[in-house]
Amino acid sequence: MKKINKVFLTVLAWGIVAILAGCSQAIPVGNLPQEITVGIDGSHSNNGNEVKQESEALNQGEQKEGEGAFSFLYEGVTLIPGEVFEQSALGKYSAVSEVPSCAFDGNDRVYNYKKFELTAYIDEKEERIYSIYFIDPNLPTTEGLCLGDTVGDMKSLYGEDYEVVGTSYAYTRGDTILSIITQNDVVVGIEYRLNR
């Protein structure tokens, strides 16, 4: 029982950190390397050799669709911060709540999909993706990074063109940021978000 409470408190604390981090602006730091690795079945590899052709195809697709933005591929659905949020494409969420927006006027909606939380904002009467915060340690980024991986794994996938704030690494691509929070050189938080 104590272990469950400790895990819950840890997840809650990092969730608060992610929300607060979402209220700050990061300075753009450049583009990422083009060589990424993603498995067909959602598995990931940090050695950069297993599924190179597929990762190149994904990278080319996201360059066209998101114009150089970070995108998160989840069960065949591409989610890009700043793009219109199509709820029906993801299926049923387990919970939704409204919170005061720290980046926009009014409230944001936070959708819980069990493996991640998606925060959306209203822009000109359309709901748009603001951020995607990972909850499940087995959920990989499009490039293959998971919670529990090391800073070395992160650097091998994304390179060293990042901005560091405390123990958080921010990679910028277009109007999007991939924020990676670490503790003792281990990835404990991953969030895609709009650079605003």
Side-chain angles (χ1 to χ4, degrees):
M1 184 71 170
K2 287 185 179 185
K3 184 176 183 180
I4 292 173
N5 288 336
K6 186 175 180 181
V7 170
F8 173 76
L9 291 175
T10 301
V11 170
L12 179 64
W14 284 111
I16 292 169
V17 167
I19 289 170
L20 294 175
C23 291
S24 65
Q25 287 188 336
I27 298 171
V29 294
N31 291 324
L32 301 178
Q34 298 300 312
E35 189 171 301
I36 56 177
T37 303
V38 173
I40 294 169
D41 61 352
S43 64
H44 66 286
S45 167
N46 294 333
N47 66 15
N49 294 322
E50 289 181 12
V51 196
K52 186 175 178 182
Q53 285 182 326
E54 182 179 341
S55 65
E56 288 173 357
L58 284 172
N59 193 41
Q60 289 171 0
E62 72 186 29
Q63 291 297 325
K64 290 176 187 174
E65 189 173 338
E67 298 179 12
F70 276 109
S71 63
F72 173 51
L73 184 62
Y74 179 73
E75 296 184 356
V77 178
T78 302
L79 303 170
I80 302 171
E83 296 292 318
V84 173
F85 174 45
E86 300 290 339
Q87 289 181 32
S88 60
L90 285 177
K92 186 69 178 147
Y93 47 84
S94 61
V96 64
S97 59
E98 286 198 8
V99 296
S101 180
C102 58
F104 303 95
D105 292 331
N107 290 332
D108 291 336
R109 290 190 185 121
V110 180
Y111 295 89
N112 184 307
Y113 285 96
K114 294 189 181 178
K115 293 186 177 194
F116 63 92
E117 286 184 342
L118 186 147
T119 301
Y121 66 98
I122 304 297
D123 181 37
E124 298 177 17
K125 299 184 181 179
E126 290 184 305
E127 200 167 25
R128 295 186 175 271
I129 299 168
Y130 176 67
S131 68
I132 302 156
Y133 181 76
F134 284 39
I135 298 170
D136 187 333
N138 298 312
L139 180 65
T141 64
T142 302
E143 295 78 15
L145 188 70
C146 287
L147 298 173
D149 285 350
T150 66
V151 170
D153 296 331
M154 175 197 77
K155 289 179 181 178
S156 71
L157 289 170
Y158 296 103
E160 301 207 23
D161 196 8
Y162 50 76
E163 175 161 341
V164 179
V165 179
T167 60
S168 177
Y169 295 81
Y171 290 91
T172 302
R173 184 184 286 169
D175 290 333
T176 62
I177 294 174
L178 175 62
S179 180
I180 300 166
I181 302 167
T182 64
Q183 183 176 27
N184 299 323
D185 286 332
V186 174
V187 175
V188 296
I190 299 173
E191 179 185 40
Y192 291 92
R193 74 171 184 271
L194 189 61
N195 187 9
R196 177 166 176 145

